[in-house]
Amino acid sequence: MDTIPLCHSLQTILTGEDELPLYAARPAGFAAALAPDGANCTRWAEQLSPLPVGLPLVCPPAPDPDAIERPVTLRYIEDCKRAFRPLLHDDAAFYYVCGAETFATLRAAVLALTDLTGRTVIAELEATGDEGRLADGTEVRAAVGVLQRIGVTTVILRADRPEALSEALTETAPYARLSLGACVRAQWLRDGLRLPSVELLLPVPGESGEALLALIGEPPAVPRDHDDFIIAPDGTNAHFIDPTIDISDEIECGHRLGEALIEAEDDAGALKLVLESEEDVVALEEHRYMISRPVCLCAESAELLEQGLRVYPGLALYDGTWEQPEEVLHYLEHKYGLIRL
């Protein structure tokens, strides 16, 4: 698999035709190139070798939940596959997934892409909310915590204000275990924008990367934090747990799931949700907005457990209930970030 290596100083991502000569002049300043389409990907890959050249994949619109059969997430994953499949290219070293309306749709798009290909995945997050959150309220550090366990190697943060970008990075950098990048205006850097632990810079649309290249230097480092704990996001918020976390009694994901979540013991660190049918997967998706604690998913059927993992936007725990074969657990860990306690 082609990968973009971590760097020890800031590098840029080449995005425009007019920047191609810059690579010949300053190859160490670039980590990758993002071509506009397949034809240019082939040409750029030949011209810029050995620089990795990738392609953008824009997420399709989220479906109307009232217009399609549930679970909506499973249908959206298929929508993404149909949208992405014609754009995949043999010369693409990586794919840049962007344009997601919510974090849940971005995660679904990543799952669709990893269903289709084993190429490197870069994901874009737009931090337009306050306090290091996305527009849909998801903590950026929670989103990164999920993405880094489901096959994403690099996250590029974008924001409409430099303060929002810096705040999101400050909140996220101590917990990130992947490469962080930022989409920035050159003027923001001239004004002293702090980008903790950022390794990659992407120019905003309409700006040349040449200006960024002239401003790059050593990135300010941020110490890693919480290495003794496990990050287990619920899909919106980050939770930091240890393997001895208290787990609630079994909660059936039936038609009373909403009531059961309200009645769940507050002193349980995680909620154990049991999947017994496909209708339970639908109930899990419909009530996931009510979940504000880590979730332990269990199902006797490996296929049903996988469906639950596809619709649950966080990182689910596994405590051994209804023991699954080792090869199944290894696959679920790699594909969905399942956390074995």
Side-chain angles (χ1 to χ4, degrees):
M1 179 189 298
D2 293 308
T3 60
I4 297 176
L6 298 180
C7 53
H8 300 291
S9 63
L10 279 171
Q11 292 181 297
T12 61
I13 298 177
L14 188 153
T15 59
E17 185 77 26
D18 59 340
E19 299 171 30
L20 298 185
L22 291 174
Y23 176 67
R26 294 187 60 183
F30 294 92
L34 188 61
D37 51 47
N40 281 289
C41 182
T42 297
R43 183 169 59 84
W44 287 19
E46 294 173 353
Q47 186 172 344
L48 300 174
S49 179
L51 192 71
V53 179
L55 286 171
L57 296 177
V58 180
C59 298
D64 180 354
D66 297 324
I68 64 172
E69 183 182 355
R70 296 176 183 269
V72 175
T73 303
L74 301 187
R75 306 302 177 267
Y76 184 68
I77 289 173
E78 295 306 313
D79 288 347
C80 290
K81 287 184 184 180
R82 283 190 290 271
F84 294 163
R85 191 175 284 111
L87 303 176
L88 302 184
H89 199 280
D90 289 342
D91 293 319
F94 65 92
Y95 294 103
Y96 184 92
V97 184
C98 57
E101 297 177 17
T102 65
F103 173 66
T105 55
L106 175 63
R107 176 185 177 273
V110 170
L111 293 179
L113 185 56
T114 56
D115 282 350
L116 294 172
T117 177
R119 301 291 173 89
T120 294
V121 179
I122 298 177
E124 180 184 278
L125 294 172
E126 188 166 2
T128 58
D130 294 325
E131 299 179 350
R133 292 182 180 267
L134 307 178
D136 66 0
T138 301
E139 285 185 90
V140 173
R141 65 182 182 180
V144 169
V146 172
L147 296 174
Q148 66 191 7
R149 287 182 60 94
I150 64 170
V152 173
T153 64
T154 302
V155 165
I156 303 292
L157 285 171
R158 178 190 297 272
D160 55 358
R161 296 176 293 111
E163 298 82 8
L165 183 60
S166 183
E167 187 173 22
L169 284 164
T170 300
E171 291 290 328
T172 303
Y175 313 99
R177 304 298 180 262
L178 44 57
S179 180
L180 288 175
C183 181
V184 297
R185 296 184 180 278
Q187 188 59 48
W188 293 358
L189 299 181
R190 296 189 190 100
D191 292 340
L193 174 63
R194 183 174 180 270
L195 299 173
S197 294
V198 162
E199 298 173 274
L200 299 173
L201 294 179
L202 181 72
V204 300
E207 283 198 6
S208 169
E210 185 172 6
L212 293 183
L213 196 62
L215 295 167
I216 61 176
E218 293 295 324
V222 173
R224 286 171 57 150
D225 202 356
H226 290 288
D227 276 345
D228 294 333
F229 294 84
I230 302 167
I231 184 169
D234 59 29
T236 300
N237 297 298
H239 302 278
F240 300 94
I241 66 171
D242 63 41
T244 62
I245 186 173
D246 293 327
I247 299 176
S248 73
D249 294 334
E250 294 183 357
I251 300 173
E252 296 181 358
C253 290
H255 66 281
R256 291 191 65 255
L257 178 57
E259 298 173 37
L261 290 173
I262 294 173
E263 296 168 359
E265 292 292 337
D266 290 336
D267 58 358
L271 303 173
K272 179 181 285 190
L273 304 184
V274 181
L275 302 171
E276 297 180 332
S277 68
E278 292 185 0
E279 287 73 20
D280 289 351
V281 176
V282 173
L284 172 63
E285 182 182 68
E286 290 178 339
H287 293 89
R288 66 189 182 191
Y289 72 95
M290 298 180 64
I291 297 172
S292 58
R293 278 178 277 173
V295 163
C296 178
L297 280 183
C298 55
E300 188 171 7
S301 160
E303 291 78 11
L304 200 58
L305 179 57
E306 182 173 14
Q307 285 191 42
L309 291 169
R310 281 173 94 78
V311 305
Y312 177 62
L315 294 176
L317 311 177
Y318 173 78
D319 69 347
T321 302
W322 283 321
E323 186 174 356
Q324 301 291 341
E326 178 62 30
E327 61 271 18
V328 170
L329 292 176
H330 179 74
Y331 163 72
L332 297 178
E333 283 180 303
H334 178 76
K335 179 71 176 180
Y336 305 102
L338 182 69
I339 300 170
R340 281 201 260 187
L341 298 178

